[in-house]
Amino acid sequence: MIDTRPMVRAIVADIEKGVEAAQIAARFHDSRIRAEGGPADVVLAGGVMQNARLLARLIQVLAEAGFHPHYHREVPPNDGGMSLGQAVVAAYRAG
């Protein structure tokens, strides 16, 4: 379980101080949840993960930082994978 309240408070404080949105976004993306004892497993999904170059680089950087990246290998990471998941749930519920 990750407590995001401190991060949200920091973002709100930055907004109230008039910090530029780009700087707030950069701080968010540079946050170190893992350094605070957060989980090591990271799931990479969504349409942006269809970008093979981005995916490969993320896997490399995350692994070097001590994370365990998980990503789609047999189904697409976007709507196609979501549709498959929905079909599996529907089949399960149908019995």
Side-chain angles (χ1 to χ4, degrees):
M1 185 80 92
I2 298 172
D3 184 3
T4 58
R5 290 175 294 186
M7 177 184 57
V8 172
R9 287 187 194 111
I11 291 170
V12 170
D14 281 349
I15 292 169
E16 290 173 345
K17 292 176 193 170
V19 176
E20 291 185 27
Q23 187 175 359
I24 295 170
R27 286 183 185 158
F28 170 80
H29 289 290
D30 289 340
S31 65
R32 302 286 185 244
I33 292 174
R34 177 79 173 114
E36 297 172 8
D41 291 302
V42 178
V43 177
L44 304 173
V48 72
M49 293 304 138
Q50 293 181 104
N51 181 324
R53 183 181 174 131
L54 175 62
L55 178 61
R57 182 72 176 128
L58 278 171
I59 291 167
Q60 176 187 0
V61 169
L62 288 167
E64 288 172 357
F67 288 93
H68 306 286
H70 303 275
Y71 53 95
H72 294 266
R73 294 185 181 141
E74 296 183 25
V75 298
N78 61 354
D79 292 346
M82 186 180 302
S83 296
L84 176 61
Q86 290 170 336
V88 169
V89 170
Y92 175 79
R93 288 184 178 172

